[in-house]
Amino acid sequence: MRRKPRPRDLGIAPGVLTPGPWNSLTDVPGVRVGHLTLDHDDAELPVRTGVTVVVPAAGSVFRDKPAAGLEVVNGFGKAAGLSQIVELGLLETPLALTNTLGVGAAFEGLVRHSLDEHPEIGVSTGTVNPVVFECNDGWLNDIRGLHVRPQHVLDALQAASDGPVPEGAVGAGTGMVAFGWKAGIGSSSRVVEAGDGTCFTLGVLVLANFGLAEDLTVLGTPVGRSLTPQQAGEQAEFARGAGSCVVLLATDAPADARQLRRIAKRATVGLARTGGIVQHGSGEYALAWSTTHRVPHRPSDAVRASSALAEDGPLMDLFFRAAAETTEEAVLGALFAAHPVTGVRGHHAPALPADRVAHLASPARRRTPEPPTHTS
């Protein structure tokens, strides 16, 4: 399918920092992303779901664990593996995204991958902590059919690439809806200059499945007041109790777990800029990790030397800004990239009319919203 314009192609460029070459999570060296999409009608009900995996760093992340920080914005979710991240501040497997009732299968897929890659697990060392995030795609997908299986995670890992990240209705994003419009996977990145000639990259991938139609905001313009998706009332009711957004942030800067949690918190700024209000029934999670601040599974000494970012001065603020800008752009990227999808019970998620959004959000326009029009 032909790639749709990304936000920047239409003049929608949130923030002031410069994106990386792909403007994607994979601009961070060593990070790879893979999708497995399940989109077919040969079951009793339409299947609109899938798996997205993120390989968080080069090499073995079990034997050389990336530092990580987690921010639970609203814990209305069924994610797996988070308590160990909070306790230890480390990752040790790839990350999987899928639908709410596919968490168990995705967990097993990550376990199988880890056992295949590391024969010492459960024999000469302990077990492993797979990390799975989820959003509810039951508006479009036959979620009761439990179509995601462990092999799908293995297939997605096999397909993982460090190239541009496919966005929209792909992988875990196949059945996701945001602000009443078809959404799913989005990605973005920013270059952070340290001031001494050193540059770091912060990249983001989101699984966007949240927000009410009337709240959608682009570059500060409340475009949702002028755009009404088909079945907006029904979708808004669904979103009030069944949304969610997962934000994954990677950087090659040597940040420690505490600093990474601080960076992860700023993803909420990007979500708010798009119109998200973190509803009662919406699970919002942000996870940040460093590809260069790594901890060996078996330390060689009792005391480990490590480096971290200096927090006095402008550098941390630049990372906070990068987290906000990339999250905002990634959510918009998910909306701009997605194609319309019809799913279970005839529910339909239309594609966002990107050209009209770009017109409404143009800096040259007055900030007065147009009267609503219905778009199928």
Side-chain angles (χ1 to χ4, degrees), residues 38-52:
L38 300 173
D39 186 5
H40 53 82
D41 297 300
D42 55 0
E44 183 178 349
L45 293 171
V47 177
R48 308 283 187 256
T49 193
V51 172
T52 295

Side-chain angles (χ1 to χ4, degrees), residues 154-215:
L154 300 177
D155 292 342
L157 285 166
Q158 185 67 32
S161 165
D162 60 0
V165 175
E167 297 177 297
V170 62
T174 304
M176 304 300 174
V177 181
F179 300 103
W181 303 94
K182 188 66 192 74
I185 297 291
S187 196
S188 185
S189 70
R190 295 292 186 274
V191 175
V192 176
E193 298 183 10
D196 58 358
T198 302
C199 290
F200 300 112
T201 299
L202 184 136
V204 160
L205 182 142
V206 302
L207 180 60
N209 190 58
F210 70 102
L212 303 177
E214 62 270 23
D215 290 337

